[in-house]
């Protein structure tokens, strides 16, 4: 009788030890979600905010408010990323030129949200935050001319891009 009890005890212990085995039973933590640009908006030269009025046209006018316009964005989740703002003559980001970039993330100038004041000059230069301007004169055929502003966030697992059309005067 003692041998049968010992056998049951041995089988019970073996089953419990098998349940604690890490093979086949552990669930690794899920990978972090990819970096996403949850909002990208522009306040144009006339104060029209594309975040509030997404269907209204946006204008860059070097005569209105000295050509100043504002750009803001939100990113999720809150971790380190690179931010790029570029402009192009077509809706394809491959045809665009970057005129602003920043290292962003927790504890940096731009964290989960970012904001920048940019300018558009009479010489058709676009610039932000004292970075080198980009001249778009070669893309201006008619006034107003449609240009595309691209907002891009990049992290270790890829990039996310949003685009807005602007009318350059």
């Amino acid at each position: 009788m003692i041998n049968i009890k010992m056998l049951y005890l041995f089988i019970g212990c073996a089953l419990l030890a098998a349940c604690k085995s890490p093979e086949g039973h552990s669930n690794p933590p899920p990978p972090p979600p990819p970096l996403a640009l949850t909002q990208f908006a522009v306040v144009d030269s006339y104060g029209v905010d594309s975040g509030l009025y997404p269907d209204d046209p946006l204008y860059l006018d070097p005569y209105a408010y000295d050509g100043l316009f504002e750009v803001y964005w939100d990113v999720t989740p809150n971790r380190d990323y690179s931010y790029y703002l570029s402009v192009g003559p077509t809706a394809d980001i491959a045809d665009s030129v970057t005129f602003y970039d920043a290292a962003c993330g927790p504890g940096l100038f731009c964290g989960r949200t970012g904001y920048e004041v940019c300018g558009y000059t009479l010489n058709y230069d676009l610039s932000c935050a004292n970075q080198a301007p980009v001249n778009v004169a070669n893309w201006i055929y008619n006034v107003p001319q449609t240009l595309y502003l691209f907002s891009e966030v990049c992290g270790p697992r890829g990039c996310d891009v949003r685009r807005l059309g602007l009318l350059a005067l």
Side-chain angles (χ1 to χ4, degrees):
M1 184 74 159
I2 292 180
N3 287 338
I4 292 177
K5 286 184 182 179
M6 290 297 279
L7 180 64
Y8 284 134
L9 183 60
F10 179 73
I11 292 172
C13 288
L15 289 174
L16 285 175
C19 288
K20 293 186 180 194
S21 171
E23 293 184 76
H25 293 288
S26 67
N27 293 325
L35 195 62
L37 185 59
T38 56
Q39 182 178 25
F40 166 55
V42 170
V43 179
D44 75 358
S45 298
Y46 299 112
V48 175
D49 186 339
S50 66
L52 299 175
Y53 306 103
D55 297 327
D56 287 2
L58 299 171
Y59 290 92
L60 296 182
D61 185 347
Y63 295 102
Y65 299 104
D66 293 325
L68 297 179
F69 63 99
E70 303 166 46
V71 177
Y72 61 94
W73 65 92
D74 292 327
V75 174
T76 187
N78 192 21
R79 62 174 182 248
D80 291 345
Y81 64 95
S82 297
Y83 181 78
Y84 304 97
L85 191 61
S86 56
V87 63
T90 69
D92 185 0
I93 193 169
D95 298 330
S96 70
V97 177
T98 300
F99 65 97
Y100 175 74
D101 61 86
C104 301
L108 298 174
F109 171 71
C110 46
R112 189 172 187 166
T113 61
Y115 171 84
E116 196 58 60
V117 176
C118 302
Y120 179 62
T121 69
L122 290 171
N123 296 329
Y124 303 105
D125 286 337
L126 277 173
S127 64
C128 294
N130 298 322
Q131 293 189 10
V134 168
N135 189 279
V136 298
N138 292 337
W139 298 333
I140 306 292
Y141 301 108
N142 299 310
V143 175
Q145 177 69 49
T146 300
L147 297 177
Y148 295 90
L149 199 61
F150 297 92
S151 178
E152 182 176 21
V153 294
C154 294
R157 296 180 58 209
C159 297
D160 191 19
V161 178
R162 296 264 179 110
R163 174 188 72 223
L164 285 173
L166 302 167
L167 295 168
L169 301 176

